[in-house]
Amino acid sequence: MASDNVFVSPEDSVMTNLSPMDAVEPTVDELLDGALSPYLSDDQDGDSPFVNEDVTKLKHAWVNEKQAPDLLPYETQLVEDLTEMLQFIEALQGEDAGQPFTVMLYQTEVERIKYLLRSYLRTRLQKVERYAMFYSGSEEHLSRMSAGEQQYIHQYRGLFETHMTRTCLDKLPESLRALDETTGNIPWNDTAVVCRVQQDVGEISVTETETVEMRRDNIFLMPYQTVEKLLQSDQVVLL
Amino acid sequence: MLGDTAYKLAQETKRTQAHLTAYNESLVEQLCRETRHIFAQLEALLQKVNPALGRSVDTRAVAAQLAALHATAKRNKRCLLAYHHLRLQFLKSLFWSVGKIPDELKPQLSPQEQDFFSHYAVLVSQYKHPFVDIDLNASELPPRDLFIEVRVLKDCGEIQLEKGSLLLTRNSQHHVKRSDVEHLISQGLLQHIG
Amino acid sequence: MTSTKPTQQFTLPELEFLAEDTPITIIPTHRMDTLHFISGSYGPFQPPAHIEVPLWLARLLKTKRRCHIQAPTWLNCRFLERKYDEEQRQPDRFSNLPYQYLEIAHVLVTCAEDDIPQSHTIKRLIQDLREIRQSKARAGLAAVNPVYLQMDHLGAVELNEIRPVFCQAFNHLRKLEKDLGDYIVPSYEDTQSTTSYSNY
């Protein structure tokens, strides 16, 4: 019976008793009212199955990091928890593997989570390298990095400076030998980003005189600086 | 003419965006030498306007010359940095995609660049250490199928799999776990066929 | 060549990956105990009871012939035709389609064509929607101003396509407005991504 299936939400119950071949056309009202809401945002409502929020959060973290011009705070807890889960599952697979088919399913998911972690970490590392000269001298940015990243940035900067010094700087006149911090640019926080509003925010200032109302599910293209605080408080996500 | 050598290096940098050219040591040396020479000229000019020598000189003309020379020197420095920086990007890119410098590219690198590459590799493996399971160097492609069909393009000998080992001889086809062979695909030794 | 430069652009495989957690209803054909994944628990699988699983799992089970897919309620000719009409009637806004409609449709039509009624028509409708929304998005470039742009109901793939041009236009306009002197506006060149499904 479909009714003891926790994955069916009340509004959808009309749909689930049908086989794919003879689906009755839903009414337009049903479609417009219920069908689209699960897709509008990543929030899981009441009757949904157990979903590990960590994975959803890490997805957002990756996308946010990719879109934001500046380095965001490192998600220590998320990375730790998911890495632990991965190690746990892999250990389980070692001991009592079970049916090959289900093993394959679990391994497929493990690869997905690894991919997500990998993408998140590499996106950050790319930013750290790009702005190494600037970030390594900024307490604010260092505080947003993991211990591993902090160690990385100092060593990378050293490697970079040594290379530039040996290949050309030392052969230049003395006053030109410095590698200024602006070599390699500074992140430009006024750059455009696209975001989706996760919950009603109300009026936001966009210029000295203008405001705009930001409601749930709106999509905006705006300067990063305008939405930076909203991003920190999870009121928007970047797209 | 002022700036000619820098221009040549800039052109060289642009060419390098497509593929890695041989490290142009002579051009780099030349540009550095020229820049030192510019500073020597600057020194000489500054002497001219030294009030202690009590000469009356058109200071605006001298100021203009000083400005032009200084700007050129700074531009030369930027060109040098840009050239070296772009080549470093290339090296890093090689590391993340293939994991090593292919033999045919080794002659294109300066000794300092080879040094950089090996130090960079060490740096990254230190960072990777706590994440050894998720294999940071693995493919940037999202996982689709756990197992894939591959054809061997060049003899690889026996490789270690997660479970057991496999002999990869040229032209043979295998059904393997993607994560076991990704690095061989990115090096062009295997071809992913399905 | 792997890029070492950070970029805002996604590749199509990345966009599909991001869409693959979307809940999809399947009808299992084989019994299975509850599966306890890291990302969630699903099951038990007791044919013919319908069950909701993430898209990636639905695709995998379908390709291994362990289930049938039930097309989402919006992946339906009448619904898509209505949406297309809406797109035509309202040239200055996008109709309300699921954010990842292109990715989801692509995966389902590719792996479960037999489970989707009138799949050929659906393919055509999706393609039509894609094209009309694409041209609407491009026309929207004229509306870019240096303050903000609202783009409700724009899809993920669509956004990814216009992002480089729109962001660069926005940035340039802002720079002109603010008159920052010799400040250099960064460019968002991406040499790697292919951002369009060429044929549906």
Side-chain angles (χ1 to χ4, degrees):
Chain A
M1 260 297 283
S3 59
D4 59 7
N5 185 336
V6 296
F7 306 114
V8 178
S9 64
E11 310 99 76
D12 288 343
S13 58
V14 155
M15 304 300 153
T16 56
N17 291 323
L18 309 169
S19 81
M21 293 306 135
D22 53 22
V24 167
E25 301 283 19
T27 68
V28 174
D29 284 341
E30 281 160 354
L31 288 172
L32 294 180
D33 280 346
L36 286 173
S37 54
Y39 301 106
L40 288 179
S41 53
D42 279 329
D43 294 345
Q44 294 280 332
D45 292 86
D47 291 334
S48 306
F50 158 67
V51 167
N52 185 348
E53 291 295 329
D54 279 356
V55 178
T56 312
K57 284 185 193 163
L58 186 63
K59 272 203 316 190
H60 282 315
W62 174 40
V63 178
N64 287 343
E65 194 72 68
K66 213 166 147 66
Q67 298 306 317
D70 204 1
L71 194 68
L72 299 173
Y74 182 72
E75 296 280 353
T76 315
Q77 206 57 57
L78 277 184
V79 175
E80 241 174 52
D81 290 347
L82 283 171
T83 314
E84 251 175 51
M85 288 288 279
L86 279 176
Q87 288 166 346
F88 178 67
I89 296 265
E90 303 232 88
L92 264 183
Q93 292 303 304
E95 289 167 17
D96 173 23
Q99 299 258 338
F101 185 74
T102 40
V103 164
M104 184 271 292
L105 295 179
Y106 285 122
Q107 282 183 335
T108 304
E109 200 224 12
V110 161
E111 288 304 311
R112 288 181 62 85
I113 308 278
K114 283 187 185 179
Y115 172 78
L116 192 53
L117 278 166
R118 198 187 302 150
S119 303
Y120 176 66
L121 293 171
R122 278 172 77 167
T123 299
R124 288 181 61 89
L125 219 54
Q126 283 172 349
K127 247 189 222 174
V128 159
E129 275 183 10
R130 182 169 202 207
Y131 302 117
M133 300 298 296
F134 171 60
Y135 283 163
S136 54
S138 160
E139 277 307 316
E140 167 61 38
H141 289 95
L142 288 170
S143 70
R144 297 180 199 170
M145 296 181 203
S146 67
E149 286 167 346
Q150 284 173 357
Q151 189 181 31
Y152 187 92
I153 199 177
H154 290 307
Q155 289 180 319
Y156 178 79
R157 179 181 172 154
L159 196 59
F160 183 82
E161 279 180 324
T162 306
H163 184 79
M164 291 305 174
T165 306
R166 282 170 72 193
T167 51
C168 55
L169 293 178
D170 262 356
K171 300 170 194 168
L172 292 177
E174 211 175 308
S175 68
L176 285 181
R177 283 188 198 155
L179 198 59
D180 322 283
E181 256 145 40
T182 50
T183 307
N185 301 315
I186 306 177
W188 190 46
N189 285 353
D190 210 28
T191 196
V193 291
V194 180
C195 68
R196 173 164 54 221
V197 186
Q198 300 289 83
Q199 52 193 232
D200 286 355
V201 168
E203 300 277 335
I204 293 289
S205 274
V206 285
T207 63
E208 269 154 51
T209 46
E210 269 181 86
T211 62
V212 66
E213 199 190 340
M214 294 180 75
R215 287 202 302 267
R216 185 180 154 142
D217 293 327
N218 287 157
I219 296 179
F220 285 101
L221 184 139
M222 279 179 160
Y224 176 67
Q225 254 163 14
T226 310
V227 297
E228 194 176 356
K229 291 221 161 46
L230 297 173
L231 183 65
Q232 282 163 4
S233 55
D234 291 331
Q235 288 172 296
V236 304
V237 287
L238 300 183
L239 296 177
Chain B
M1 229 187 70
L2 272 185
D4 269 353
T5 316
Y7 182 66
K8 280 198 198 128
L9 192 62
Q11 279 186 313
E12 183 97 7
T13 309
K14 196 153 184 220
R15 270 198 295 272
T16 308
Q17 284 182 321
H19 65 276
L20 194 66
T21 54
Y23 182 75
N24 201 332
E25 179 154 11
S26 59
L27 198 53
V28 169
E29 288 294 330
Q30 192 184 342
L31 194 54
C32 291
R33 207 168 33 240
E34 275 184 24
T35 312
R36 293 197 297 271
H37 182 65
I38 287 176
F39 258 63
Q41 287 178 284
L42 276 170
E43 295 284 309
L45 269 179
L46 282 169
Q47 286 297 313
K48 265 199 197 171
V49 291
N50 190 340
L53 297 173
R55 290 141 81 155
S56 95
V57 154
D58 183 354
T59 49
R60 278 177 310 165
V62 172
Q65 267 190 291
L66 283 173
L69 285 172
H70 200 250
T72 309
K74 293 220 90 162
R75 184 165 170 276
N76 288 355
K77 175 179 173 178
R78 279 202 302 278
C79 284
L80 284 164
L81 289 175
Y83 177 69
H84 289 91
H85 189 60
L86 186 74
R87 290 176 67 89
L88 285 187
Q89 310 266 58
F90 220 96
L91 291 181
K92 292 194 289 181
S93 208
L94 270 178
F95 174 78
W96 286 99
S97 58
V98 173
K100 59 175 187 157
I101 306 175
D103 288 331
E104 60 271 20
L105 282 182
K106 278 200 181 123
Q108 314 284 68
L109 305 182
S110 69
Q112 294 96 337
E113 286 174 337
Q114 305 217 12
D115 267 352
F116 177 89
F117 190 91
S118 35
H119 285 121
Y120 185 73
V122 170
L123 173 61
V124 177
S125 53
Q126 275 172 356
Y127 177 77
K128 277 163 69 169
H129 186 67
F131 305 111
V132 70
D133 289 332
I134 60 177
D135 189 11
L136 276 185
N137 256 74
S139 169
E140 282 194 337
L141 274 181
R144 182 48 84 80
D145 301 302
L146 207 59
F147 286 89
I148 53 175
E149 282 290 311
V150 294
R151 180 180 294 122
V152 185
L153 299 175
K154 293 184 201 164
D155 270 319
C156 304
E158 191 165 319
I159 58 157
Q160 284 304 315
L161 304 173
E162 205 179 301
K163 299 191 169 125
S165 63
L166 188 62
L167 184 62
L168 297 174
T169 51
R170 192 160 172 250
N171 282 329
S172 59
Q173 260 178 244
H174 304 273
H175 186 67
V176 284
K177 203 164 177 229
R178 202 177 94 139
S179 47
D180 281 334
V181 298
E182 260 177 346
H183 60 293
L184 297 171
I185 298 175
S186 60
Q187 285 175 46
L189 298 166
L190 296 182
Q191 185 186 25
H192 178 185
I193 52 180
Chain C
M1 185 60 70
T2 312
S3 174
T4 48
K5 272 190 178 175
T7 171
Q8 290 180 321
Q9 286 307 95
F10 288 106
T11 61
L12 275 184
E14 284 171 342
L15 289 174
E16 259 186 31
F17 176 82
L18 288 169
E20 283 177 333
D21 291 309
T22 308
I24 294 287
T25 304
I26 60 166
I27 305 105
T29 52
H30 291 61
R31 292 186 71 93
M32 252 193 324
D33 289 335
T34 304
L35 297 168
H36 298 285
F37 292 109
I38 295 175
S39 54
S41 291
Y42 309 100
F45 296 77
Q46 293 163 332
H50 295 44
I51 182 173
E52 214 175 57
V53 296
L55 179 59
W56 67 267
L57 184 57
R59 175 167 48 78
L60 194 49
L61 291 174
K62 173 67 187 178
T63 36
K64 301 292 179 190
R65 302 182 206 278
R66 298 286 183 117
C67 76
H68 286 292
I69 304 274
Q70 180 173 294
T73 41
W74 58 268
L75 197 61
N76 160 296
C77 285
R78 263 191 52 203
F79 184 81
L80 295 175
E81 272 160 16
R82 286 192 117 86
K83 285 296 160 183
Y84 187 78
D85 286 339
E86 220 180 289
E87 295 285 351
Q88 284 183 309
R89 276 183 288 115
Q90 296 171 325
D92 59 344
R93 58 170 73 169
F94 295 99
S95 69
N96 192 359
L97 283 169
Y99 179 60
Q100 292 156 324
Y101 80 98
L102 281 173
E103 298 92 303
I104 300 167
H106 183 244
V107 170
L108 292 180
V109 163
T110 307
C111 78
E113 203 168 3
D114 51 327
D115 287 338
I116 298 174
Q118 302 172 280
S119 62
H120 289 293
T121 315
I122 295 217
K123 274 196 230 184
R124 184 186 49 80
L125 283 167
I126 294 278
Q127 184 65 14
D128 290 345
L129 275 166
R130 172 158 174 55
E131 280 168 10
I132 194 174
R133 288 164 65 99
Q134 208 170 22
S135 56
K136 225 183 249 190
R138 288 176 188 160
L141 184 59
V144 170
N145 62 66
V147 185
Y148 73 90
L149 194 62
Q150 192 162 349
M151 310 183 296
D152 290 355
H153 306 315
L154 192 62
V157 172
E158 292 154 349
L159 166 59
N160 200 52
E161 276 178 350
I162 64 173
R163 188 196 285 115
V165 178
F166 273 57
C167 285
Q168 188 150 24
F170 184 87
N171 290 337
H172 276 297
L173 285 173
R174 249 183 117 68
K175 181 211 165 189
L176 286 171
E177 276 246 326
K178 280 188 164 182
D179 187 30
L180 290 171
D182 63 350
Y183 199 98
I184 299 161
V185 177
S187 72
Y188 288 91
E189 257 183 322
D190 180 80
T191 52
Q192 283 198 335
S193 69
T194 39
T195 51
S196 51
Y197 287 114
S198 53
N199 244 331
Y200 225 80

